Every structure is written in C-alpha cells, then in structure tokens.
Amino acid sequence: MSAAGSQRLGRLLVESGTISQEQLSAALESAFGGKSLIAALDDLGYASENVVARAVAAQMGLDYIDLPGYDIDPNAATNLSSELARRHSVLPVKIEDGELLVAMSDPANLIAIDDLRIVTGYEIRPVVVAESDLAQAIEKFVASHANVDDMVGDLEDAVSTGDESAEDDVDDESAPVAKLMNLVITEGIRQGAGDIYIEPHEHELRVRFRVDGVCQEVFRSPKKMQRQLISRLKIASGMDIAEKRTPQDGRFGVVLDGKAVDFRVAVLPLVHGELAVMRLLRKDSIMMSLEDLGFLEQPMQRLLDALALPYGAILVTGPTGSGKSTTLYAAINRTNDVSTNLITVEDPVEYRLNGLSQVQVHEKAGLTFASALRSILRQDPDTVMIGEIRDAETGTIAIEAALTGHLVLSTLHTNDAPSAVTRLTEMGIEPFLTASAITCVLAQRLARRLCPDCKEKYVPEEEALARVGFPFEPGSPPHIFRAKGCRKCNDIGYRGRMGIHEVLTMSETIERMTVENASTDELMAQAVDEGMKTLKDDGFEKVQLGLTSIEEIMRVVV
C-alpha cells in the first residue's frame, strides 16, 4: 500500500473509532521500512487484520468476506492477468448481476478500480478482505495460472537433452509433462470446454478446446513432446502405455475448485502419432431440468405429455454432441423418485447418479445392450433408459418393453424426428410394433446463445431472409440480433448454448402411415400439418426472441 493509501486508511480507522490518533501515529512510524500500516497495527496489537477489514467495510458501506472460506469463481478470477492482480493487490472472486466482485484490502484505491473496469469490461464492486488473506489468494491464483510457454519450455529442454526422466517420470506429479497436462486440464475446465483435443501433426503437436460446440486452438508445441503427453494421459486413464497400434478408451476424474469433473478419454492411432480426445463430463450439467434446456412451450408440452404416460417409447435423436444424454438425464430426473424403479443400460456409463440402477455394457464379457435389457425386464422396472439403440435385437426388445407397460427412453442417430421411425424399420423392426410403441420422438441440436452484453440489433435484408426461409412480412423485415464480440465472451459474440428441438408425437394418422411404410418426407409433411415445429422453425423462433442468430441456426440445423 502506498504512503497516500496508508494515510487514507489511517484517517478512516480513526474516524470509525477502531484506533486512536496516537495509535495511528505509532503504527505509521512502525510501518517505515516496507511494512504495511495494516501489518503494523496487527504487530502492535492495536487492531487485527480482520478487525481493520471489517471496519473499512462498515465505514465505506461495502461487504466484508472471509476470503479463506470463500468459494472463488474461477471464471471471475481469470478475467484478470496475474501481473495486474499483483500490481494492484486485487482478486476477482465472483460475477454477479453483471458486476465483477473484486476482493481488495484497500477499496478506496480508485486508480485500481478504474484499471479493472477498463481491462475487464465489467462494473467493479469491491469487497473488503484481510490483507494477508488476499496476498495468499493472489499467490495461489498466480501459481495455478503458470505460463504455458514456461512449462512447454521445461519439457522441451528435458526431451531435447535426452533426459531419461522425461520418459520415465510421466507419472511423477512434479515432472514438466505432468505440470503441462494438469494445466491443460485445469484451463479446459475453467474455460467451459466440452472436449479437449491433443492432436499430432507432422512437425508439431496442437491442443484445442471445444467450447460451446466450436473448436478453439489453445497452443502448439514441438512434436517431440507428443509421446510424453500421451503417455501421461494413458497412465491417468488406466490404458496400456505400451500399446500404440490400436484404439484405447479410459477415464479419470479430477476435483477443481471443489467440483468433481470426470473425463472420458479416447486414444486413436493416426499416421503422425496418437490422437487423444478428452470428453469433460460435469455432474452439475447433467442435473439440469428440462426447463433449463431451452424448450419452447409447445415442444416442451409434447414431451411432458409423453413422459406422463406409464408406458411407451420416447426416442431422442441427433448427431454426436447434440446434448442427447443431457436431455435423457433431465427426463429421468423428472421421473426419478422413491416410488419408481428406474434402471439404465449404457455404454459407457457417463454419469454415476444416486437413485438409479446403472448397468455398464461389457461386450467382451457378453453383457450387450440386448442381454442386459432382457435381464433388466425381469427386475420389474417402471422406467428403462437405453443409452443407444444400435441394432435390431436391442430395438426389438426395447419396443416390446414399451408395449408391455414400461416407459422406455433411448437415443438413435438420425437427422430429424420422422427419420427415427423409418430408421427402426430399416433395422428390421416390424413397422406395426414401431407404430404401436413409440409415443414421442425428439430431435435436437445445440446452438450457441448470443452474448447478452454485446449482441447487436439490426434489420436484415429481405433477400437474405428469403434465401434461408426465415418467416417475415414482405416490406417489413424484423429487427433481430447478431453476434458482435466483447471481453466477456472473448470477442466471439456467443456465450453458452441451448437446445433446438423438434418433437413428433405419434398420432393415429402417423401410426397408420408407419405401418404402410411411408417415406420420411411423407411423415415429415404429416407431422408439420399436425403442428410439429421443425428444427429450423424452432431455431428461427429463438432468433426472433433474440436468443441466437440466423447464422448460428443455419450452422447447426442445415
């Protein structure tokens, strides 16, 4: 704290009655030589750090927090560089109502507050903390955000000098490769990545994060580091470190900032080395309710009506990474209670949840979807969730279960809802069984939400709207929003994702058409006539609501 800051703090403490003028004079005299006024007051026994912090907060009308026991939001902390945090002795701890809460021991430092406002783009709300607690928290923050280039350099030096420990110590937490891998994992979690890619190329190694469904390059490193990184990952995931010719799967878990995150890992041999992909599985995301997934009122009601039935099959379709598992678990959360026997069969079991009986498929041991499902039906379940219908045998058993008083939830890989009906027929399931068993098919995609802080309102050209099929009155195109970019969204223009949905319910007409082997196009036309919103319709309605952009809907739907 500067001399002016010490004088300002001293006057405030005297005015509040925390210390006397004589005690302030003695503390200021003791503070010469680099010691802060707060430390001097503590050493002399006049006022402890916490007493000073509480007095400052009360006098200035600010909140006081006990920093060691406070749950710091990592997304808030990363808004500030380590250098700036140290220079101003500040640490962002939370984002609340569009403001950045910043821990300070000297909240009257207006220069620091102005700097933070400019750098972060947020309005700053100071909260008062004890000085030594703040210093420790800043150092912990700085240490956890060590420079990637330094770690890359350490590992490159170890490899290029032929250090055998670089190869042998991949399971040593203090080794450079472990530090680099830990940093990649930590940053992936804090940036909200869904997948982390470690990709070998001919002359270099690339690391990318998939954030909100879009890949972003994090850094590139020398090719010679590839073997150590992949070996480190294999050890953590329980894979065979010596096997480099065949694909391998594994998983591991970490706890960061008090939150558990599981990683599902797949390693695939390529021509230039092994590609590693880590899928991040967050339990807080899978515990979302259906209301959190971005449903419009009509598709939501259609799905709820199907879930309210004690029997029937509900299928969720879409490509990999479209949020099918999240939707299935949200549906399960709605039906999961002590009066219901709910069993799942999955490959793999991505999330281990209380209250569910979960079965992990193990094909080498003979535990397939079909064999597990046969056994499950002997357990008298009320609801059965099947991770995926992959073949005719599994599909037939699932359909028959839906016809015999069970509510069956499962996924299928098709582009839209009507295609699920014809896909089951192509797999060899009798159309009359499909028509009788299915109550609802939900097709979905994930679209990025526009950043609420920088989205830009504009009037698009009518020709552009007509070209993509956007509904509008000729002569009066609507006011909609597009992405712009700001600090809060890393200049991308989008923050977070939501579902785009298409819900087909099986009417008598669609059942008859299914039995008659109607085509997908015919089923689609009939479903639309009966009021189904297509994926594009649902997306365009969310564009009109200002939630996303036309460009984003065209990217994920078409």
Side-chain angles (χ1 to χ4, degrees):
M1 185 179 294
S2 65
S6 295
Q7 293 284 352
R8 182 175 62 243
L9 174 62
R11 286 195 301 272
L12 186 149
L13 293 174
V14 171
E15 290 170 3
S16 68
T18 306
I19 59 174
S20 65
Q21 183 62 51
E22 291 75 16
Q23 289 174 327
L24 172 62
S25 300
L28 286 173
E29 185 176 345
S30 175
F32 283 116
K35 183 188 295 185
S36 72
L37 173 62
I38 295 174
L41 289 169
D42 196 4
D43 290 345
L44 292 170
Y46 296 154
S48 69
E49 287 189 9
N50 287 322
V51 168
V52 170
R54 290 180 187 276
V56 170
Q59 194 74 0
M60 298 185 66
L62 300 174
D63 291 331
Y64 163 84
I65 63 173
D66 179 24
L67 197 56
Y70 191 83
D71 186 15
I72 297 175
D73 181 355
N75 293 321
T78 52
N79 275 277
L80 204 62
S81 68
S82 300
E83 179 186 355
L84 205 58
R86 275 176 167 163
R87 184 193 311 164
H88 289 307
S89 292
V90 295
L91 185 65
V93 295
K94 189 176 183 180
I95 300 171
E96 187 174 80
D97 299 328
E99 295 180 317
L100 190 65
L101 273 64
V102 179
M104 307 178 71
S105 59
D106 181 16
N109 187 345
L110 299 181
I111 294 176
I113 293 174
D114 285 342
D115 279 357
L116 296 183
R117 185 182 295 114
I118 294 170
V119 169
T120 66
Y122 284 98
E123 284 301 313
I124 304 301
R125 175 147 54 102
V127 292
V128 187
V129 298
E131 186 177 58
S132 63
D133 291 343
L134 178 61
Q136 290 176 10
I138 290 173
E139 289 310 309
K140 183 178 178 181
F141 164 74
V142 170
S144 67
H145 287 73
N147 192 284
V148 173
D149 292 337
D150 290 343
M151 291 188 184
V152 170
D154 290 343
L155 182 55
E156 184 182 6
D157 290 344
V159 174
S160 61
T161 56
D163 186 353
E164 293 181 2
S165 65
E167 182 75 20
D168 297 336
D169 293 346
V170 290
D171 58 346
D172 180 358
E173 289 297 327
S174 63
V177 63
K179 293 179 180 178
L180 180 58
M181 181 59 72
N182 291 343
L183 183 66
V184 169
I185 290 170
T186 300
E187 286 304 305
I189 295 172
R190 286 180 168 159
Q191 292 187 30
D195 299 285
I196 299 175
Y197 300 88
I198 301 177
E199 304 168 314
H201 293 275
E202 185 175 3
H203 301 297
E204 61 188 358
L205 185 71
R206 181 173 68 176
V207 175
R208 292 192 295 169
F209 295 162
R210 184 182 292 277
V211 180
D212 291 338
V214 178
C215 289
Q216 303 172 10
E217 184 173 310
V218 181
F219 68 89
R220 293 173 181 253
S221 65
K223 173 76 170 177
K224 62 185 98 174
M225 295 167 48
Q226 172 190 327
R227 185 169 54 190
Q228 285 71 33
L229 280 173
I230 298 298
S231 295
R232 169 71 186 176
L233 185 59
K234 283 182 176 180
I235 289 172
S237 307
M239 300 181 193
D240 183 355
I241 191 173
E243 179 56 67
K244 298 179 173 62
R245 298 167 298 175
T246 60
Q248 295 189 71
D249 296 306
R251 65 187 303 151
F252 66 94
V254 300
V255 176
L256 181 65
D257 302 318
K259 296 181 180 179
V261 181
D262 289 335
F263 287 77
R264 196 175 76 199
V265 184
V267 174
L268 178 68
L270 303 180
V271 291
H272 295 303
E274 291 176 286
L275 164 67
V277 181
M278 292 180 272
R279 168 68 56 90
L280 281 70
L281 307 173
R282 296 175 174 84
K283 286 190 177 180
D284 54 350
S285 68
I286 212 64
M287 295 307 293
M288 296 173 70
S289 67
L290 288 172
E291 288 77 10
D292 297 327
L293 300 181
F295 279 91
L296 295 176
E297 183 178 354
Q298 189 241 43
M300 177 68 148
Q301 192 57 53
R302 287 184 164 210
L303 180 59
L304 291 179
D305 289 344
L307 285 170
L309 297 173
Y311 58 85
I314 299 175
L315 301 181
V316 182
T317 77
T320 301
S322 61
K324 298 189 296 298
S325 295
T326 301
T327 300
L328 277 183
Y329 278 108
I332 285 176
N333 290 336
R334 198 175 193 90
T335 60
N336 186 21
D337 57 54
V338 294
S339 64
T340 302
N341 182 16
L342 201 157
I343 305 178
T344 75
V345 52
E346 306 166 64
D347 184 22
V349 175
E350 294 186 347
Y351 298 92
R352 295 171 172 87
L353 303 179
N354 294 328
L356 304 184
S357 299
Q358 296 175 274
V359 179
Q360 167 73 57
V361 167
H362 195 312
E363 294 192 357
K364 290 183 179 179
L367 184 59
T368 63
F369 274 109
S371 63
L373 193 49
R374 285 195 193 93
S375 180
I376 283 172
L377 294 178
R378 292 193 287 270
Q379 310 297 323
D380 190 27
D382 297 292
T383 303
V384 178
M385 189 194 93
I386 307 167
E388 182 184 348
I389 294 177
R390 297 180 178 177
D391 51 50
E393 186 180 13
T394 304
T396 300
I397 300 171
I399 292 297
E400 290 175 349
L403 290 170
T404 54
H406 303 88
L407 180 61
V408 177
L409 308 176
S410 189
T411 68
L412 198 64
H413 284 277
T414 63
N415 289 327
D416 53 41
S419 296
V421 177
T422 56
R423 173 68 181 136
L424 292 175
T425 302
E426 291 168 0
M427 293 173 78
I429 299 170
E430 293 293 342
F432 72 89
L433 292 176
T434 299
S436 301
I438 291 180
T439 57
C440 168
V441 181
L442 164 65
Q444 70 176 52
R445 302 288 189 276
L446 288 178
R448 292 179 294 174
R449 290 180 180 268
L450 285 169
C451 173
D453 295 293
C454 68
K455 64 181 181 180
E456 183 178 60
K457 198 171 188 178
Y458 77 109
V459 179
E461 296 181 0
E462 292 191 20
E463 181 183 349
L465 294 176
R467 189 164 56 248
V468 299
F470 192 91
F472 70 98
E473 290 292 331
S476 59
H479 289 77
I480 58 176
F481 292 86
R482 60 188 171 194
K484 183 180 180 182
C486 65
R487 287 185 179 273
K488 295 182 183 179
C489 61
N490 293 323
D491 291 319
I492 296 172
Y494 298 94
R495 267 193 350 213
R497 290 193 289 179
M498 63 182 173
I500 306 297
H501 306 100
E502 174 180 286
V503 182
L504 177 148
T505 53
M506 293 293 285
S507 65
E508 290 184 6
T509 303
I510 293 178
E511 285 185 24
R512 189 189 69 251
M513 293 174 67
T514 300
V515 173
E516 295 172 353
N517 286 318
S519 68
T520 298
D521 290 341
E522 292 170 332
L523 292 172
M524 174 67 81
Q526 180 61 34
V528 171
D529 287 343
E530 294 178 2
M532 182 185 80
K533 292 180 182 291
T534 66
L535 286 166
K536 186 184 282 190
D537 293 337
D538 191 84
F540 283 163
E541 190 164 338
K542 285 165 182 170
V543 170
Q544 291 175 325
L545 292 172
L547 301 175
T548 189
S549 66
I550 288 180
E551 293 78 11
E552 180 65 7
I553 295 303
M554 299 305 293
R555 182 184 73 86
V556 300
V557 171
V558 177

